[in-house]
Amino acid sequence: MNTLEKAVNIQNEKIIKVMVVDDSAFMRFSITKHLNMTPNIQVMVTASDGREALELLKTYKPDVITLDVEMPRLDGLSTLKEIMAHYPCPVIMLSSLTKEGANETIRALTLGAVDFVAKPENKINISEVMNEVVSKIIKVVNAKVFSIPYKKPIEDSKKAADKIVRPLGSNDKILIIGSSTGGPRALNTLVPELNNIPAAVLIVQHMPVGFTHSLADRLDSISILKVKEAEPGDQLEVGKALLAPGGFHMVLDENKRISLNQNPTIHGVRPAIDVTMFSVVQHFGKSVVSVILTGMGVDGTSGSTLIKSSGGYVFAEAESSCVVYGMPRSVVESGSADKILPIHELAPAIMDFLNGII
């Protein structure tokens, strides 16, 4: 039995009701056909744009919505805001692989969408994409839904004055943040609060190629902390966060600089949080601090266990604020978590620890 079949069985025969919103008749047909062929999933209604979807939501109450990012009349982001405000349920965005599509997808994830699927560039890959849609519907059907206030980018003048980056000192810490499903929303809350952080920061978010650059830009635009997508040769610096690029594991080379590789996936993902943690602990030992945020699976547990046994410190997001309480639960159940807090309490606690207050 494969992973998808096991996930279906976990639903205990519950029928997952889905609304499909897409302006492409081909995509509506393809998604509907594929979902209706899947045990325990049924497309209850489709809509060709956001306005039609909102009208239908007055009558229908789906368990999950698949929502196109780019649509006429009412676009995906505007539709998502209305769904979160009036008809909250798990939403999976369908995004194009263009730069604009990636930017809009990241905004959607920070506004409350729980996950996304990249649309195929041609019809040849449609079956593979449909399998991903099915898998993610099953994963997010029980996800907690949060509507997040939109954070405006900070002014350019303030950025220039306050984004202070300095070389890593011998007494400085390395903060590794790991997240998966619901992660962009959590990062959108946490990262802007890490102002003047006395540590170098590494972020590993499970995300495919083409979207992490937009996520890094988004986080940088709303933070005093400097955030960028990691590149080979980047140095660890205090006041700067490096985000692992989609499709690459992020490690440190012998000179403690960033190295990227496409070694096999770990826990079915690349980048993997554990890979980064193992590498960083080898160089920095007890100076490493980890934060495991919302997400499905166990990635980050082995790494956090190593960090704790090496004398470092481990934070985990509490169940109350997680979209999916999987990765943090695994860390907590392993006995590795030193502090378990909801997302809005994590930043102050992290800053207190790094400043020697706790």
Side-chain angles (χ1 to χ4, degrees), residues 159-292:
K159 282 185 196 178
D162 295 341
K163 291 205 177 199
I164 300 173
V165 176
R166 66 169 174 80
L168 190 68
S170 58
N171 294 322
D172 290 320
K173 303 287 188 183
I174 311 298
L175 178 67
I176 303 175
I177 304 172
S179 53
S180 188
T181 305
R185 175 200 65 86
L187 294 170
N188 191 68
T189 300
L190 176 65
V191 173
E193 299 303 319
L194 300 176
N195 293 333
N196 302 313
I197 186 171
V201 181
L202 296 172
I203 303 172
V204 182
Q205 162 69 43
H206 296 161
M207 190 168 277
V209 177
F211 293 87
T212 43
H213 185 81
S214 292
L215 177 60
D217 285 351
R218 164 67 184 168
L219 293 173
D220 184 68
S221 75
I222 59 175
S223 308
I224 297 301
L225 180 69
K226 172 66 179 174
V227 185
K228 72 180 289 286
E229 186 180 50
E231 298 176 89
D234 278 342
Q235 286 184 295
L236 299 185
E237 296 177 289
V238 173
K240 181 172 73 176
L242 297 171
L243 175 71
F248 290 86
H249 293 307
M250 178 171 66
V251 298
L252 300 181
D253 63 18
E254 63 275 10
N255 297 313
K256 301 180 182 179
R257 289 175 176 264
I258 293 295
S259 177
L260 304 174
N261 67 68
Q262 290 188 303
N263 290 344
T265 61
I266 303 295
H267 310 298
V269 295
R270 189 176 58 220
I273 303 161
D274 278 336
V275 170
T276 298
M277 288 177 163
F278 291 158
S279 176
V280 175
V281 171
Q282 288 178 13
H283 292 279
F284 292 97
K286 65 181 181 180
S287 296
V288 183
V289 179
S290 70
V291 184
I292 299 299

